[in-house]
Amino acid sequence: MKDIKKDFESFAEDSSPAGSSFVLNKINSTLQAELPSPWKVAGKLGIAHTVATSVTLASCSQFGVTLFNTGHDLMHSFMNISETFCHSLCGAYYLAATFLLARMILNREEWLVLLKNRTLSIASLALVSLGVFSSLSHEVTWESALLWFFGAALGAELMTVRKQALKRLLHDI
């Protein structure tokens, strides 16, 4: 019995973290190897953005850029709601569609990588899209671009908010 007690005391006194740090390092390296590459996630987000752009430009022109010239589209409905915030509503619809489609395409781990870099993803997609629209259309003004960017960022952010946070936000209102 004394040998067991001495063994336990020597074990308790041994404060070398070699065993536990080895295990933690092994677990960390395994997790890092299994995480999806940010480049893969960015590629899938780009594909989602291309598809969503096609859908949204078919149903709502952005700064006069449209795929099909059908006359009346969703932009006219947004104009009836508010002429001032029409660009914000169009931008929200545009990027919300991208992130909604991305949520369907990406698996859980890839979605978590996207959420980790959410601000960068939203800002880069919005600014690149705004740059393309301004090069294709002469309707982009400083005010309309700012309103569109605000709406696009808000729409994308709403698509990336977790359900619990959204419920809490709605409950507080």
Side-chain angles (χ1 to χ4, degrees):
M1 188 75 165
K2 286 189 175 188
D3 291 334
I4 294 175
K5 188 175 181 180
K6 285 181 183 176
D7 286 342
F8 178 75
E9 287 173 354
S10 69
F11 172 76
E13 289 174 2
D14 186 22
S15 62
S16 74
S20 63
S21 68
F22 172 76
V23 171
L24 289 175
N25 287 337
K26 183 72 173 169
I27 291 171
N28 189 27
S29 65
T30 304
L31 285 175
Q32 292 299 323
E34 291 178 2
L35 280 177
S37 162
W39 291 106
K40 181 180 177 183
V41 174
K44 284 187 171 183
L45 182 61
I47 290 169
H49 187 59
T50 303
V51 172
T53 295
S54 300
V55 170
T56 56
L57 287 180
S59 61
C60 180
S61 62
Q62 308 284 323
F63 301 107
V65 178
T66 184
L67 288 182
F68 307 110
N69 193 6
T70 58
H72 292 284
D73 57 9
L74 197 54
M75 184 186 76
H76 294 290
S77 300
F78 290 157
M79 286 289 257
N80 289 335
I81 295 171
S82 170
E83 290 184 26
T84 305
F85 293 108
C86 174
H87 290 294
S88 295
L89 294 170
C90 286
Y93 172 64
Y94 183 75
L95 267 193
T98 294
F99 279 86
L100 182 64
L101 186 60
R103 182 63 187 114
M104 290 187 245
I105 292 174
L106 299 174
N107 63 33
R108 179 171 167 71
E109 290 79 21
E110 292 169 337
W111 182 251
L112 291 175
V113 168
L114 179 70
L115 288 181
K116 185 178 178 182
N117 302 308
R118 175 173 70 213
T119 304
L120 178 64
S121 302
I122 291 170
S124 60
L125 279 179
L127 289 173
V128 166
S129 299
L130 194 56
V132 170
F133 289 139
S134 67
S135 68
L136 294 176
S137 173
H138 298 292
E139 294 181 20
V140 181
T141 63
W142 175 251
E143 180 183 297
S144 65
L146 191 61
L147 287 170
W148 187 92
F149 182 81
F150 172 74
L154 187 63
E157 186 66 31
L158 286 175
M159 289 296 118
T160 60
V161 170
R162 296 177 192 250
K163 289 179 185 176
Q164 295 85 7
L166 188 60
K167 285 179 184 177
R168 203 176 10 217
L169 177 69
L170 293 175
H171 183 268
D172 290 343
I173 295 175

